[in-house]
């Protein structure tokens, strides 16, 4: 495809990126505290999360996740069920503003036995004009053996089955766990905002272990679901991530809980052969990244968390299309970087700022019209959570009111006329993708 194509074809080619930007607005920060866990453990949501509505986990919350969601207060069986309703007012830089009931979620989350637990989220979302789509969102089922001793050190060993590599990560810094990834024209497989993301469209398993409370390791594998299954689970088959084979996933991290502070440093790797579309030659893809997280917890009055994630993807393409006498490159790369800083006051008031960067190698055939897929955005979010703490009106239900700004400085390799519209046509600049969203979520 090249910039010499007719305008109607260029519009068809670029339309998915506009949809991607819209979806990103609702994907970020979608992980929340689950009241079912509070009922099960007898602990408030604020014990597991830096903010009483999430998403960032405290060391206590990380241990609860590693223990397979099985910890309990011993006061009998609790129903592992919770729900969430979200309404939003979205004001884009260009286009019509909307006010709607944007999402309703059901969670099956909690303990099955001493060694079995899980997290299942089913989402019904408003896709426009009051039409709703129900889909299976996040899945994380675990079998865990706790209180083991290896070389005299405490050890936890578990098996996890999930539909997003990295969602089960205890630190919750990786994109699929944090629900925060840069808007990407051609992002990495581990970025939930990539056009053909693996997020919620694969199924896999891994074995993990925590040794001496500090050393975490995980190894596993994933396969994409059949396109018919992706459709039945509520996802557009056009978002198919392709066929995966020979897939390996690896995660290693050092975590240090200093009671009033927490620090972690980790590496992550994913290697696979991907056919996209599924009858195409295979691309060899390897993702390799690292992440750093620091939390100042203090006495929980002032909490600061800083996280940085850097993931590089190397690609050996199985085909090299030729357009206008120019051949696509046989190799390429993509890099996704996220830097986020969150300040939380009394676990009720919070400010989060994130800088999101996605870059890739130059290729005029694969990335028309400018030959670069680079995108840069900033997110600013303010929110208030009055409940979910031991001293609040209730610790078993929650409310979150948030205002979120997205500001784009670069998209599709440019800041101006980002889709390469010809003279006389409607021009879209990067800043035209800016948007403000005011939302209110209730969980119970």
């Amino acid at each position: 495809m090249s910039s010499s194509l007719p305008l109607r074809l260029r519009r068809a080619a670029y339309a998915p990126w506009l949809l991607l930007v819209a979806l990103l607005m609702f994907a970020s920060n979608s992980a929340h505290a689950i009241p079912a866990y509070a009922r099960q453990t007898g602990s408030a949501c604020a014990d597991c999360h830096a903010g009483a509505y999430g998403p960032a986990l405290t060391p206590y919350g990380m241990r609860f996740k590693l223990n397979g969601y099985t910890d309990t207060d011993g006061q009998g069986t609790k129903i592992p069920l919770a729900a969430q309703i979200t309404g939003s007012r979205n004001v884009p830089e260009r286009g019509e503003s909307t006010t709607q009931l944007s999402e309703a979620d059901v969670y099956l989350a909690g303990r099955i036995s001493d060694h079995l637990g899980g997290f299942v989220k089913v989402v019904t979302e408003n896709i426009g004009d009051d039409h709703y789509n129900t889909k299976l969102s996040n899945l994380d089922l675990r079998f865990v053996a706790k209180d083991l001793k290896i070389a005299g050190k405490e050890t936890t060993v578990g098996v996890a089955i999930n539909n997003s590599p990295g969602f089960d990560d205890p630190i919750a810094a990786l994109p699929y766990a944090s629900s925060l990834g840069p808007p990407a024209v051609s992002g990495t497989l581990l970025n939930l905002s990539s056009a053909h993301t693996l997020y919620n469209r694969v199924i896999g398993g891994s074995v993990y272990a925590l040794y001496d409370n500090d050393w975490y390791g995980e190894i596993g594998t994933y396969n994409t679901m059949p396109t018919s299954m992706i459709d039945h689970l509520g996802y557009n088959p056009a978002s198919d991530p392709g066929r995966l084979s020979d897939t390996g996933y690896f995660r290693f991290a050092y975590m240090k809980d200093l009671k009033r502070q927490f620090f972690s440093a980790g590496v992550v790797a994913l290697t696979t052969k991907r056919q996209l579309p599924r009858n195409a030659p295979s691309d060899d893809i390897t993702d390799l990244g690292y992440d750093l997280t620091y939390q100042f917890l203090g006495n929980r009055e002032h909490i600061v968390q800083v996280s940085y994630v850097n993931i590089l993807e190397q690609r050996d393409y199985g085909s090299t299309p030729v357009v206008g006498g120019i051949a696509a490159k046989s190799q390429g790369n993509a890099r996704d970087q996220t830097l986020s800083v969150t300040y939380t006051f009394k676990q009720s008031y919070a400010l989060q700022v994130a800088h999101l960067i996605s870059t890739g190698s130059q290729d005029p055939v694969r990335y028309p019209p400018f030959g670069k897929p680079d995108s840069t955005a900033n997110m600013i979010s303010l929110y208030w959570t009055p409940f979910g703490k031991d001293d609040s009106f209730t610790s078993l239900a929650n409310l979150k009111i948030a205002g979120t700004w997205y500001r784009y400085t670069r998209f599709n390799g440019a800041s101006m006329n980002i889709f390469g519209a010809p003279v006389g046509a409607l021009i879209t600049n990067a800043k035209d993708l800016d948007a403000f969203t005011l939302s209110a979520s209730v969980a119970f």
Side-chain angles (χ1 to χ4, degrees):
M1 187 179 300
S2 71
S3 57
S4 62
L5 287 176
L7 178 60
R8 63 179 180 85
L9 292 182
R10 290 205 304 274
R11 285 175 174 169
Y14 300 142
W17 309 130
L18 293 173
L19 176 61
L20 170 66
V21 173
L23 292 176
L24 180 65
M25 295 294 298
F26 298 99
S28 297
N29 292 321
S30 63
H32 303 302
I34 310 301
Y37 292 150
R39 292 189 287 270
Q40 174 182 303
T41 62
S43 299
C45 296
D47 292 340
C48 283
H49 296 271
Y53 208 93
L57 292 173
T58 63
Y60 179 86
M62 295 176 195
R63 287 192 296 271
F64 178 73
K65 190 172 183 179
L66 282 166
N67 286 339
Y69 314 102
T70 62
D71 296 344
T72 176
D73 60 4
Q75 302 299 313
T77 301
K78 312 296 196 304
I79 299 175
L81 185 67
Q84 175 179 266
I85 299 174
T86 300
S88 64
R89 168 72 173 173
N90 185 36
V91 184
E93 183 73 19
R94 176 185 290 181
E96 296 184 0
S97 300
T98 58
T99 302
Q100 60 187 16
L101 176 65
S102 54
E103 189 174 305
D105 309 323
V106 175
Y107 299 87
L108 296 173
R111 166 193 179 91
I112 300 172
S113 71
D114 287 346
H115 301 285
L116 290 172
F119 174 100
V120 180
K121 180 181 178 182
V122 178
V123 174
T124 298
E125 60 183 357
N126 192 329
I127 57 178
D129 298 324
D130 290 326
H131 289 86
Y132 292 87
N133 177 57
T134 299
K135 62 184 181 182
L136 174 67
S137 182
N138 303 117
L139 168 72
D140 185 15
L141 305 177
R142 300 190 183 217
F143 171 83
V144 61
K146 300 173 284 186
D147 303 322
L148 302 176
K149 293 284 187 179
I150 296 179
K153 303 294 186 180
E154 292 186 7
T155 304
T156 299
V157 178
V159 176
I161 297 174
N162 62 78
N163 60 351
S164 300
F167 176 77
D168 60 334
D169 186 62
I171 302 170
L174 300 178
Y176 289 171
S178 68
S179 295
L180 188 62
V185 173
S186 179
T188 67
L189 290 180
L190 292 174
N191 182 2
L192 79 167
S193 300
S194 298
H196 294 277
T197 177
L198 306 184
Y199 190 58
N200 298 341
R201 294 162 177 82
V202 299
I203 191 71
S206 61
V207 177
Y208 69 88
L210 178 68
Y211 179 72
D212 195 23
N213 295 314
D214 292 336
W215 302 95
Y216 177 78
E218 178 184 357
I219 186 169
T221 187
Y222 289 85
N223 279 309
T224 44
M225 303 176 189
T227 52
S228 58
M229 180 66 71
I230 291 175
D231 185 25
H232 291 155
L233 292 178
Y235 295 93
N236 188 339
S239 67
D240 178 27
R243 186 190 307 276
L244 302 185
S245 59
D246 300 333
T247 303
Y249 175 78
F250 171 80
R251 172 71 162 149
F252 179 79
Y254 174 75
M255 308 186 297
K256 191 63 178 178
D257 181 6
L258 301 173
K259 305 305 179 184
R260 294 171 62 89
Q261 300 178 80
F262 171 83
F263 169 79
S264 71
V267 294
V268 64
L270 176 74
T271 179
T272 190
K273 296 180 182 295
R274 180 174 72 168
Q275 295 171 265
L276 182 66
R278 296 196 177 206
N279 59 354
S282 296
D283 300 331
D284 290 333
I285 299 177
T286 299
D287 284 15
L288 182 63
Y290 67 92
D291 56 284
L292 302 169
T293 296
Y294 170 78
Q295 279 185 354
F296 173 79
L297 296 162
N299 61 5
R300 304 298 177 94
E301 183 175 5
H302 303 279
I303 298 177
V304 177
Q305 174 165 318
V306 181
S307 292
Y308 176 67
V309 181
N310 187 324
I311 300 173
L312 174 67
E313 180 170 284
Q314 297 285 354
R315 303 167 179 168
D316 288 325
Y317 294 107
S319 62
T320 53
V322 177
V323 175
I326 301 174
K329 294 182 178 180
S330 61
Q331 294 181 323
N333 64 69
R335 185 187 296 273
D336 293 318
Q337 299 178 75
T338 300
L339 174 63
S340 64
V341 181
T342 306
Y343 167 71
T344 307
F345 178 62
K346 294 186 175 180
Q347 296 185 279
S348 298
Y349 308 91
L351 168 66
Q352 182 180 30
V353 179
H355 186 54
L356 313 168
I357 304 173
S358 180
T359 57
S361 53
Q362 188 167 359
D363 193 324
V365 175
R366 300 185 193 276
Y367 310 123
F370 306 112
K372 293 283 285 184
D374 300 357
S375 299
T376 304
N378 296 294
M379 186 198 78
I380 303 172
S381 184
L382 286 166
Y383 53 89
W384 172 54
T385 305
F387 307 134
K389 300 172 288 292
D390 288 325
D391 59 351
S392 59
F393 173 75
T394 177
S395 62
L396 302 179
N398 227 323
L399 168 68
K400 180 178 181 179
I401 297 176
T404 302
W405 292 264
Y406 274 93
R407 301 179 62 84
Y408 291 81
T409 58
R410 192 173 184 84
F411 192 79
N412 200 35
S415 297
M416 309 291 289
N417 193 13
I418 58 177
F419 300 125
V423 176
L426 179 66
I427 291 176
T428 302
N429 299 322
K431 67 178 183 178
D432 293 328
L433 305 179
D434 294 354
F436 171 76
T437 299
L438 180 66
S439 63
S441 300
V442 179
F444 51 90

